[in-house]
Amino acid sequence: MKVSFQLFNCAKTIAQLAKEKPTGQVVTVKGWVKHFRSYKNFTFMHISDGLSAALLQVVIPEPLNNSSHVTVGSAVAVEGELNPSVGPEQHLELVATQINVVAHNDRKNFPFSVRQRQSPDTLRQHEHLRPKTRSFAAFLRIRSNLKHFIHHYLKINNFVYIDTPVLTANDCEAAGDVFTAEKFEKNSALAYACDNILEDNTNEKTFFGKKIFLTVSGQLHLEAAACGLNKVYTFNPAFRAESSLTRQHLAEFYMLEVEQAFCTSLEDLMKLVENLILNCIKTVMHESVEDLKICQQYHQTVAFDDLCRIEKLSSFPRITFVEATEILQNSNKNFSKNLKHLRKEDERFLVQHFGNLPLFVTEYPAETKPFYMKRNQDNTCALCFDLLVPHSGELCGGSLRECNLDILSHRMELLKIAEQSQWYSELRKFGYPDLGGFGLGFERLLQFFIGIRNIKDCIPFPRWFRHCST
Amino acid sequence: MKVSFQLFNCAKTIAQLAKEKPTGQVVTVKGWVKHFRSYKNFTFMHISDGLSAALLQVVIPEPLNNSSHVTVGSAVAVEGELNPSVGPEQHLELVATQINVVAHNDRKNFPFSVRQRQSPDTLRQHEHLRPKTRSFAAFLRIRSNLKHFIHHYLKINNFVYIDTPVLTANDCEAAGDVFTAEKFEKNSALAYACDNILEDNTNEKTFFGKKIFLTVSGQLHLEAAACGLNKVYTFNPAFRAESSLTRQHLAEFYMLEVEQAFCTSLEDLMKLVENLILNCIKTVMHESVEDLKICQQYHQTVAFDDLCRIEKLSSFPRITFVEATEILQNSNKNFSKNLKHLRKEDERFLVQHFGNLPLFVTEYPAETKPFYMKRNQDNTCALCFDLLVPHSGELCGGSLRECNLDILSHRMELLKIAEQSQWYSELRKFGYPDLGGFGLGFERLLQFFIGIRNIKDCIPFPRWFRHCST
């Protein structure tokens, strides 16, 4: 593509100035005051333009300082000349000739001090002001960069980006913990739709004429798209109405979901996940290293060292569920032979057992896995994997999809979803290729990379049980 | 960034083969049979891998053909040698040595014929099968490419990608046509939440403890992010519960929303929109030209010629609302002097009047515009613009944001949203820079570019009044 951009706004960012060091130039820089210290004949301040971790040191000669009324948190526009700095920490400083206070900061009424570290729990109570803190701004930039990279990676690998719907007639996977949506009617409190749901779930009074849910996964819709487009993905919000207050629950979260046609090998899928994650790590460590350091310092973790180790890997270890249970039994971990799934503590133990690296566990017992997963030949296990990682546990799950219409329909009848999702099983009639795919929790990826304890600090505006403040 | 990709899947796409023409090579190509014609000694078929508009011609010698049972719509894997083709339309053909039918197509039960053009209305009734049609697959690839480009464009312009929430406590802008969400309880039909909403909208029985809505716009949340990050955007689903069946209504749609700090000029905002759209047109016309032609042929429009004209522009015309009304009055369009807004037919007339080009209309009467827009000095008009375009009408709306806390709070009190959205007005206290931003309807952009009559055909899985089938 030859698209020539003519950018409308030519002002350099602080990061660009720090890199290019155009000393002698007269520039106007706009941003927020982060530090401020007055001396006898002049004042130092550091300003951030929010676009990177870089701060610009500004020197304000005394006459100018008296008239400016600048405080920490003010939005300012500073004109001046860029000079080499004599200080050890920065290589450039702006000697101000004019300061315009765009907007004052009412520090007395600001709900928390910006001079000392505030706990994540404190900041979370003021989610609209969190982006003003250095650590959360750094986090948001990392999140943005990583999301851009994932889109880029999938594009160059020929995946087509499909918007799967939020509103759906399916509630297949969530086993009850789903949200339902209805048109809000001011005059009848929350819902006039609660009456007279008919046997077939239709209701003339509802907006859609039937029960509608907020999606828990775009996979079923993605499969429909993959049947025409081969390689597809979505990166949209998903919802779970779990009445839980733990540090691992969000009611609204983001999932990368990928679906690939002509896929007969679980190993191929795992290679794709592995390659994606290793490249994500490289991207974060090369593109966002300053922000990553700010975040990890704030969260007081050693995740950076972990990433350095993992970045050097060419693949992640793989074990089967049966092998996982043997390891757990041999380690006296109070693990019952009859257990058909891994508990959180089992997952943590396994990740540590393999040197605190990402770990694929494959082929879980068939009865614990969803109806759409293909089984092995003797029907004992699902052709699936989970990827377990440090800090966040299960990061990603994938499987080959059941392509046999009779087998799939039978499972769906047992679950009483055969009619509701008939469109989904019907895909098998019309040139349904072997499909395989996975879902990856984006907040968990960030939690893993940065070492964030509470998943609620991995999303700009977290929603969870009892909490939706903005 | 130096990230070296090691792709896991080295098979070339049909588009790559068509470009590189590696004649003599033995390859395996996987895809769906699109055309199929048998002659005495051999069979021709065209297969698509879904990843581009390119078709590969396959020649099947007679002995192989008898054993393969291939039909149109089947998923196949074909091994053979690539040869130069003698036909006028293609430059490469695959002489098959082996055909594996991955999955048959049950043509008798396929709900519409793929041999003749089906109307968009017909295809829309089978939204899970639409991606199998050549025209809709082409549309989905255009949509994907355009979305990738918009992300790329905003990234290189230093905008940070922020996920604004779907679930929100604000219902500011929608004037009642909003969805509400609540945890679904199987045993009590749609909602147990309808009882006992208290005066302050809290309810212990609800999941979030109060009324929650599906977002109509991410703008308010974006402003909070812009107060720390300067330049931000979101590209998430938005929702309107309008009980309307017209060709311009969707209940779930995508909006690009951009917010920029230190923005005091409406003209700067319009330049950004203009530059974005002109670059989007270049991208579509250079990266997706084959798909664009397939789509426009299917939709029987002349939008391609329009795009060629518009691509050459360096800017779009701009008129004020007052100038617009004068044009409408002078043209005997039955336009009343007292009208404070433009009707759909007025917008269409103005676009045509200016040569069927995109047209900015600025400074609408203050009383017709939302509370968050800045007004001019004498408070008569809002410092805002709408961008009107051929085919889809209002594509984009933007404004400078009200930065005066007292003025904003007063307006919010009149609307009785001062308490609910106190977090939003409060941003003005703490170094609130001059903000400006816009929202652009993504489906309308596609409608404009391709010339699609019904907006429901601009999204993979449309939801509208009475319709949510998957």
Side-chain angles (χ1 to χ4, degrees):
Chain A
M1 178 184 46
K2 288 275 187 298
V3 178
S4 62
F5 296 108
Q6 200 181 353
L7 301 190
F8 43 90
N9 185 345
C10 297
K12 295 257 163 103
T13 65
I14 287 178
Q16 284 166 336
L17 293 176
K19 194 177 168 193
E20 297 170 11
K21 299 185 187 61
T23 52
Q25 262 191 31
V26 173
V27 294
T28 300
V29 176
K30 296 170 183 174
W32 292 269
V33 179
K34 292 292 178 184
H35 309 114
F36 190 87
R37 181 167 294 180
S38 285
Y39 297 92
K40 198 180 167 196
N41 294 324
F42 59 92
T43 295
F44 272 138
M45 67 179 185
H46 287 96
I47 64 176
S48 162
D49 60 13
L51 300 169
S52 72
L55 297 175
L56 180 66
Q57 177 163 293
V58 177
V59 183
I60 310 169
E62 180 61 18
L64 202 60
N65 187 30
N66 280 343
S67 59
S68 63
H69 307 295
V70 182
T71 60
V72 169
S74 298
V76 295
V78 186
E79 195 184 300
E81 189 181 307
L82 290 167
N83 280 355
S85 167
V86 289
E89 282 181 26
Q90 61 282 321
H91 306 289
L92 199 69
E93 65 185 21
L94 184 66
V95 181
T97 52
Q98 197 177 328
I99 297 182
N100 172 25
V101 179
V102 175
H104 289 280
N105 180 29
D106 180 4
R107 285 180 71 187
K108 279 183 193 161
N109 287 307
F110 199 76
F112 54 87
S113 164
V114 292
R115 288 196 174 241
Q116 61 209 53
R117 180 185 182 276
Q118 301 294 327
S119 75
D121 293 344
T122 301
L123 293 185
R124 212 180 302 127
Q125 289 169 33
H126 311 281
E127 63 180 44
H128 60 302
L129 301 175
R130 278 205 297 187
K132 291 181 163 293
T133 66
R134 189 157 164 75
S135 60
F136 202 70
F139 164 75
L140 290 174
R141 289 188 296 261
I142 294 171
R143 187 180 160 109
S144 172
N145 275 346
L146 197 52
K147 219 164 178 183
H148 278 131
F149 173 74
I150 290 171
H151 283 301
H152 172 69
Y153 176 89
L154 289 164
K155 181 180 162 70
I156 62 168
N157 279 290
N158 292 311
F159 284 86
V160 180
Y161 183 7
I162 299 289
D163 285 312
T164 52
V166 167
L167 300 172
T168 172
N170 295 278
D171 66 339
C172 288
E173 229 193 331
D177 282 338
V178 291
F179 289 103
T180 181
E182 186 46 66
K183 182 168 182 168
F184 174 64
E185 301 284 336
K186 278 223 165 88
N187 299 327
S188 60
L190 250 189
Y192 65 117
C194 24
D195 312 321
N196 305 323
I197 297 289
L198 305 178
E199 277 291 296
D200 62 352
N201 283 333
T202 61
N203 183 339
E204 280 298 304
K205 285 193 195 168
T206 60
F207 184 84
F208 286 111
K210 57 183 168 181
K211 276 188 301 196
I212 288 297
F213 308 96
L214 302 191
T215 186
V216 295
S217 159
Q219 183 205 315
L220 306 195
H221 293 89
L222 267 192
E223 284 193 34
C227 286
L229 295 162
N230 200 327
K231 296 167 78 169
V232 294
Y233 77 101
T234 191
F235 205 166
N236 279 353
F239 304 84
R240 294 276 166 95
E242 287 175 279
S243 305
S244 169
L245 292 166
T246 78
R247 67 185 178 84
Q248 282 298 78
H249 281 92
L250 283 170
E252 177 177 347
F253 56 98
Y254 282 78
M255 263 211 294
L256 171 68
E257 292 181 272
V258 173
E259 204 69 29
Q260 177 156 15
F262 303 102
C263 174
T264 52
S265 150
L266 210 54
E267 178 58 28
D268 281 354
L269 267 187
M270 289 191 285
K271 280 208 183 100
L272 172 56
V273 171
E274 205 167 60
N275 193 263
L276 170 67
I277 290 173
L278 286 171
N279 281 303
C280 282
I281 291 175
K282 278 183 191 159
T283 299
V284 169
M285 294 189 67
H286 290 88
E287 280 212 331
S288 302
V289 62
E290 292 304 321
D291 283 329
L292 197 59
K293 283 177 181 170
I294 291 171
C295 273
Q296 295 191 337
Q297 191 176 24
Y298 172 76
H299 286 286
Q300 301 167 336
T301 72
V302 292
F304 195 81
D305 299 337
D306 289 342
L307 288 190
C308 291
R309 275 191 312 124
I310 297 167
E311 192 198 8
K312 295 194 184 79
L313 299 177
S314 60
S315 72
F316 305 150
R318 292 143 164 78
I319 55 172
T320 63
F321 179 81
V322 171
E323 288 165 347
T325 58
E326 285 165 5
I327 292 166
L328 289 162
Q329 281 164 36
N330 292 339
S331 64
N332 282 325
K333 290 303 289 180
N334 188 24
F335 185 86
S336 157
K337 278 183 187 177
N338 299 322
L339 217 55
K340 298 292 188 185
H341 68 279
L342 301 176
R343 298 161 301 181
K344 287 256 168 272
E345 61 264 37
D346 302 327
E347 293 178 350
R348 267 195 298 274
F349 177 82
L350 288 166
V351 166
Q352 276 163 17
H353 184 83
F354 280 86
N356 243 3
L357 302 176
L359 169 69
F360 284 110
V361 180
T362 64
E363 294 153 85
Y364 284 68
E367 64 264 41
T368 63
K369 287 294 175 181
F371 69 96
Y372 52 74
M373 287 187 181
K374 201 171 189 168
R375 271 45 169 166
N376 65 346
Q377 284 216 322
D378 62 4
N379 209 27
T380 53
C381 67
L383 295 173
C384 70
F385 66 82
D386 277 2
L387 179 64
L388 312 179
V389 297
H391 302 293
S392 52
E394 185 200 329
L395 170 65
C396 176
S399 77
L400 304 183
R401 315 309 191 189
E402 183 57 67
C403 51
N404 183 300
L405 177 60
D406 294 334
I407 293 172
L408 185 73
S409 298
H410 178 66
R411 287 191 208 138
M412 289 169 69
E413 273 159 27
L414 293 177
L415 292 168
K416 296 182 179 162
I417 57 170
E419 201 177 333
Q420 176 197 70
S421 302
Q422 198 255 331
W423 66 269
Y424 171 71
S425 54
E426 187 184 71
L427 295 172
R428 274 76 186 159
K429 290 185 189 170
F430 308 119
Y432 181 87
D434 303 300
L435 287 189
F438 64 86
L440 183 153
F442 185 53
E443 284 75 23
R444 290 190 179 181
L445 186 69
L446 288 157
Q447 188 175 38
F448 160 38
F449 283 1
I450 305 176
I452 297 178
R453 195 180 137 72
N454 195 319
I455 195 107
K456 300 177 195 72
D457 302 323
C458 297
I459 190 165
F461 300 93
R463 276 80 183 90
W464 73 101
F465 186 49
R466 296 273 181 253
H467 293 82
C468 181
S469 62
T470 59
Chain B
M1 178 184 47
K2 286 275 186 296
V3 178
S4 62
F5 295 107
Q6 198 181 356
L7 301 190
F8 42 90
N9 185 347
C10 296
K12 295 257 163 98
T13 66
I14 288 178
Q16 284 166 337
L17 294 176
K19 194 177 169 196
E20 297 170 13
K21 300 185 187 61
T23 51
Q25 261 190 30
V26 173
V27 295
T28 300
V29 176
K30 295 169 183 175
W32 291 268
V33 179
K34 290 294 177 183
H35 309 114
F36 190 88
R37 182 166 292 183
S38 284
Y39 297 92
K40 198 181 169 196
N41 293 324
F42 60 91
T43 296
F44 271 138
M45 66 180 188
H46 288 96
I47 64 177
S48 162
D49 61 11
L51 301 169
S52 72
L55 297 176
L56 180 65
Q57 177 163 294
V58 178
V59 184
I60 310 170
E62 179 62 18
L64 203 60
N65 188 29
N66 279 342
S67 60
S68 64
H69 307 294
V70 181
T71 59
V72 169
S74 299
V76 295
V78 186
E79 195 185 299
E81 190 180 306
L82 290 167
N83 281 355
S85 166
V86 291
E89 282 182 26
Q90 60 282 320
H91 306 289
L92 200 68
E93 66 186 21
L94 184 65
V95 181
T97 51
Q98 198 178 327
I99 298 182
N100 172 25
V101 180
V102 175
H104 288 280
N105 180 28
D106 179 4
R107 285 179 72 188
K108 281 184 191 160
N109 287 306
F110 199 77
F112 53 87
S113 164
V114 292
R115 289 198 173 239
Q116 61 209 53
R117 180 185 183 276
Q118 302 294 326
S119 75
D121 292 345
T122 301
L123 292 185
R124 213 180 302 125
Q125 289 169 34
H126 310 282
E127 65 181 44
H128 60 303
L129 301 175
R130 279 204 297 187
K132 290 181 163 294
T133 66
R134 190 157 164 75
S135 61
F136 202 70
F139 164 74
L140 289 175
R141 287 188 298 261
I142 294 171
R143 185 177 161 111
S144 172
N145 276 346
L146 196 52
K147 217 162 182 187
H148 278 131
F149 174 73
I150 290 171
H151 282 301
H152 172 70
Y153 176 89
L154 289 164
K155 181 182 162 67
I156 63 170
N157 278 292
N158 291 313
F159 284 87
V160 180
Y161 182 8
I162 299 288
D163 286 310
T164 53
V166 167
L167 300 172
T168 171
N170 295 278
D171 67 340
C172 289
E173 225 192 334
D177 282 337
V178 290
F179 289 103
T180 181
E182 185 47 67
K183 181 168 181 168
F184 173 64
E185 301 284 336
K186 278 222 162 93
N187 299 327
S188 61
L190 250 189
Y192 66 115
C194 23
D195 312 322
N196 306 322
I197 297 288
L198 304 179
E199 277 291 295
D200 61 352
N201 285 332
T202 60
N203 183 340
E204 281 297 304
K205 284 192 195 169
T206 60
F207 184 85
F208 287 111
K210 59 182 168 183
K211 276 189 301 196
I212 288 299
F213 308 97
L214 301 192
T215 185
V216 295
S217 158
Q219 183 204 316
L220 306 195
H221 293 90
L222 267 193
E223 285 193 34
C227 285
L229 295 161
N230 201 327
K231 297 168 76 169
V232 293
Y233 77 102
T234 191
F235 205 166
N236 279 354
F239 304 84
R240 293 277 166 94
E242 286 174 279
S243 306
S244 168
L245 291 166
T246 80
R247 66 184 179 86
Q248 283 297 78
H249 281 92
L250 282 171
E252 176 175 348
F253 56 99
Y254 282 77
M255 263 212 292
L256 172 67
E257 293 182 270
V258 173
E259 204 68 31
Q260 178 156 13
F262 304 102
C263 174
T264 52
S265 151
L266 210 53
E267 178 59 27
D268 280 354
L269 267 187
M270 289 191 285
K271 281 210 180 101
L272 172 56
V273 171
E274 203 167 59
N275 191 263
L276 170 67
I277 290 172
L278 286 170
N279 280 302
C280 282
I281 291 175
K282 279 185 190 157
T283 298
V284 169
M285 294 190 66
H286 289 88
E287 280 212 332
S288 302
V289 64
E290 293 303 320
D291 283 327
L292 197 59
K293 283 178 180 167
I294 291 172
C295 272
Q296 295 190 338
Q297 191 176 20
Y298 171 77
H299 286 286
Q300 300 166 337
T301 71
V302 293
F304 194 81
D305 300 337
D306 289 343
L307 288 191
C308 291
R309 277 191 310 123
I310 297 167
E311 191 198 8
K312 295 193 183 81
L313 300 176
S314 60
S315 71
F316 308 148
R318 292 144 164 77
I319 56 172
T320 64
F321 178 84
V322 172
E323 288 165 347
T325 59
E326 284 165 7
I327 292 167
L328 289 162
Q329 281 163 35
N330 292 340
S331 64
N332 282 325
K333 289 303 288 180
N334 188 24
F335 185 87
S336 158
K337 278 185 188 176
N338 298 323
L339 217 53
K340 298 291 187 188
H341 68 279
L342 301 177
R343 300 161 299 181
K344 287 257 167 271
E345 61 264 35
D346 302 328
E347 293 178 350
R348 267 195 300 273
F349 177 84
L350 288 166
V351 167
Q352 276 163 18
H353 184 84
F354 280 86
N356 243 1
L357 301 177
L359 170 69
F360 284 109
V361 181
T362 64
E363 294 154 84
Y364 284 68
E367 63 266 41
T368 65
K369 288 292 174 182
F371 68 96
Y372 53 73
M373 288 186 179
K374 201 170 188 167
R375 272 46 170 163
N376 65 347
Q377 284 216 325
D378 62 5
N379 209 26
T380 53
C381 67
L383 296 173
C384 69
F385 66 83
D386 278 0
L387 178 65
L388 312 179
V389 298
H391 303 290
S392 51
E394 185 202 330
L395 170 66
C396 177
S399 77
L400 305 184
R401 315 309 191 188
E402 184 56 68
C403 52
N404 183 300
L405 177 61
D406 293 335
I407 292 173
L408 185 72
S409 297
H410 179 65
R411 289 191 206 137
M412 288 169 69
E413 272 158 28
L414 293 177
L415 293 168
K416 296 183 180 164
I417 56 169
E419 202 177 332
Q420 177 197 69
S421 303
Q422 196 254 333
W423 66 269
Y424 171 71
S425 53
E426 187 185 71
L427 296 172
R428 275 75 184 159
K429 290 184 188 171
F430 308 119
Y432 182 86
D434 302 299
L435 288 189
F438 64 85
L440 182 153
F442 185 53
E443 285 75 23
R444 291 189 179 181
L445 186 70
L446 287 158
Q447 187 175 38
F448 160 38
F449 284 1
I450 305 177
I452 296 177
R453 194 178 139 70
N454 194 318
I455 194 107
K456 299 176 196 75
D457 303 321
C458 297
I459 190 166
F461 299 93
R463 276 82 184 89
W464 74 100
F465 186 48
R466 297 274 181 250
H467 293 81
C468 181
S469 62
T470 60

